[in-house]
Amino acid sequence: MPRSFTVGEEMLHVADDPQCPECLEEYPELCGCGGLIHAAGGEADLDGEEWPLTRCDRCGRSEEEMAESGL
Ligand SMILES: [Zn+2]
Ligand SMILES: [Zn+2]
C-alpha cells in the first residue's frame, strides 16, 4: 500500500516512492537518513524568488533544517 505524505498543502505525495508523482522536478532527493526529501511549490520571498517546501518522508526535516544543522 502506498503511504501518502503531506508536504505543505499537497497531501498526495507518496512516501518511499522515488518517482513520486506530486514532487517538483528533480525531487524526491535522497536524505541523509535514508528517506526521500519531497518538494512542493513554495511561496515567493520578498525578492520574488520561489523556494520549494521540502520535507523528508522519514525524519520529517526540510532541506533548510538540514542545512542549519550542518548535515
Ligand atoms: Zn513527493
Ligand atoms: Zn530524512
Side-chain angles (χ1 to χ4, degrees):
M1 256 314 255
R3 190 159 56 90
S4 66
F5 177 71
T6 304
V7 182
E9 299 190 341
E10 295 177 1
M11 295 183 278
L12 297 172
H13 289 263
V14 183
D16 297 325
D17 184 355
Q19 314 274 318
C20 175
E22 281 293 300
C23 269
L24 298 181
E25 259 180 75
E26 299 180 19
Y27 284 90
E29 284 191 342
L30 277 177
C31 177
C33 76
L36 293 168
I37 300 170
H38 294 249
E43 285 175 22
D45 67 15
L46 294 177
D47 298 323
E49 193 164 353
E50 252 191 58
W51 296 91
L53 287 169
T54 52
R55 195 151 82 96
C56 175
D57 59 18
R58 284 207 196 171
C59 66
R61 289 183 297 180
S62 68
E63 287 189 322
E64 276 172 357
E65 286 174 75
M66 285 176 225
E68 278 167 20
S69 63
L71 293 173

